[in-house]
Amino acid sequence: DTGVSQDPRHKITKRGQNVTFRCDPISEHNRLYWYRQTLGQGPEFLTYFQNEAQLEKSRLLSDRFSAERPKGSFSTLEIQRTEQGDSAMYLCASSLGDTGNQPQHFGDGTRLSIL
Amino acid sequence: AQSVTQLGSHVSVSEGALVLLRCNYSSSVPPYLFWYVQYPNQGLQLLLKYTSAATLVKGINGFEAEFKKSETSFHLTKPSAHMSDAAEYFCAVSVSTGNQFYFGTGTSLTVIP
């Protein structure tokens, strides 16, 4: 069990630029989640995949955000035309199974700073 | 819909003292409840989970939590705090048909030597 891996750990970019983050889940986990966490808050759900299918998206996920999990393994989260309000920690998590009682295993996150 | 309320955004205890972090949940169906710990610049690590088996759940690092349906609570306790327990703690709720966890706003635990 190598754990959930996220890359990069930190990203600093100018407002208006596009950024892409990668998440590699635990290998046998079929579910993959993206969360956003701002200072002093708990993680907020953005979207989740069951294998390669994106099954749910939060209202927080504006049209500038897109996520993919093309082969049901790793996932990418892209933010287009970044804004100051996008500055946050982006967390990826994975779990095994089809019900909500399975714990989610988190990566160390990608911290995004918008200049 | 589900939600979690964590009372006390900051808790300070002396080393060796009892740790009590409060979590109350709201759910229209039987919930699953989790406690996670987060150290600075790291992701969340699972401490323990309640998934409708025993109401008293033991986790890692000496932590435990008790599910009390009548009080809609799932408070986290540890008999004796260590310096290494200083971190941010999050309570989360899910349901069997759910696809996401709902997290509280977290409690920052400080341990005073």
Side-chain angles (χ1 to χ4, degrees), chain A residues 9 31 33 35 37 40-43 45 48 56 91 99-104 106-108, chain B residues 32 34 36 38 41-44 46 49 51 90 94-96 98-101 103-105:
Chain A
R9 291 294 312 278
R31 286 192 167 190
Y33 307 79
Y35 289 85
Q37 185 180 22
Q41 298 296 317
F45 171 79
Y48 106 97
E56 188 170 344
L91 294 166
T99 60
N101 65 341
Q102 297 301 315
Q104 296 182 13
F106 284 80
D108 284 339
Chain B
Y32 301 125
F34 305 81
Y36 284 83
Q38 186 177 33
N41 296 314
Q42 293 186 21
L44 282 70
L46 180 69
K49 63 178 181 179
T51 56
F90 292 96
S94 178
V95 296
S96 61
N99 300 319
Q100 60 174 288
F101 283 13
F103 286 87
T105 53

Side-chain angles (χ1 to χ4, degrees), chain B:
Chain B
Q2 295 76 44
S3 67
V4 163
T5 301
Q6 291 185 242
L7 293 177
S9 57
H10 294 88
V11 170
S12 294
V13 300
S14 298
E15 190 175 15
L18 171 71
V19 176
L20 171 61
L21 304 181
R22 300 179 185 275
C23 172
N24 287 88
Y25 69 91
S26 173
S27 177
S28 57
V29 297
Y32 301 125
L33 294 157
F34 305 81
W35 274 101
Y36 284 83
V37 61
Q38 186 177 33
Y39 297 98
N41 296 314
Q42 293 186 21
L44 282 70
Q45 179 184 1
L46 180 69
L47 281 176
L48 49 79
K49 63 178 181 179
Y50 166 77
T51 56
S52 74
T55 57
L56 182 62
V57 180
K58 295 187 183 299
I60 62 171
N61 301 338
F63 285 95
E64 64 181 37
E66 185 172 9
F67 173 70
K68 292 186 177 181
K69 183 178 179 180
S70 61
E71 299 178 8
T72 61
S73 69
F74 190 58
H75 301 330
L76 183 71
T77 60
K78 181 174 180 178
S80 176
H82 295 168
M83 296 299 295
S84 60
D85 294 328
E88 190 84 16
Y89 291 80
F90 292 96
C91 182
V93 63
S94 178
V95 296
S96 61
T97 55
N99 300 319
Q100 60 174 288
F101 283 13
Y102 296 87
F103 286 87
T105 53
T107 297
S108 177
L109 176 65
T110 300
V111 182
I112 304 167

